[in-house]
Amino acid sequence: MYRKFIAVILAAAVAVTGFGAAPAQAGDKDLQRFVLGVAALGIIAAAIESDKRRDNDRSGGHVTRQQPYYPPVVHAPPRGHGPNNSHVVPR
């Protein structure tokens, strides 16, 4: 019983869908919208590329690196060479 009912509902849905379908047509407005959309994308891409070029020109096109920091080295006085050639005793 349920199989026949479901088959009838399915057949009716397929039949009704066929009546409402109309062939797709692209009108003049659709073509104009497409052309304007492509032109807008081209303008946006050109602006992005121009901004990238300007940033590269501003930075010189290369990366500079800081020199590493080396803290000053303090050497201990040599032992045995103090005043009057006496031995220097650590504190």
Side-chain angles (χ1 to χ4, degrees):
M1 176 78 183
Y2 291 112
R3 282 187 176 178
K4 289 182 182 178
F5 178 71
I6 292 173
V8 170
I9 296 296
L10 184 62
V14 170
V16 170
T17 306
F19 290 127
Q25 296 177 354
D28 291 335
K29 288 185 180 182
D30 293 332
L31 180 62
Q32 289 174 355
R33 289 178 185 166
F34 175 74
V35 170
L36 288 175
V38 170
L41 287 176
I43 291 170
I44 291 170
I48 291 172
E49 185 66 27
S50 173
D51 189 46
K52 284 182 182 178
R53 282 190 195 144
R54 189 177 69 221
D55 287 345
N56 285 341
D57 291 343
R58 195 177 301 153
S59 68
H62 63 278
V63 177
T64 59
R65 295 185 180 161
Q66 276 186 312
Q67 295 296 324
Y69 173 72
Y70 297 109
V73 178
V74 178
H75 297 284
R79 295 183 183 213
H81 298 287
N84 303 326
N85 268 340
S86 65
H87 182 70
V88 177
V89 180
R91 295 183 189 175

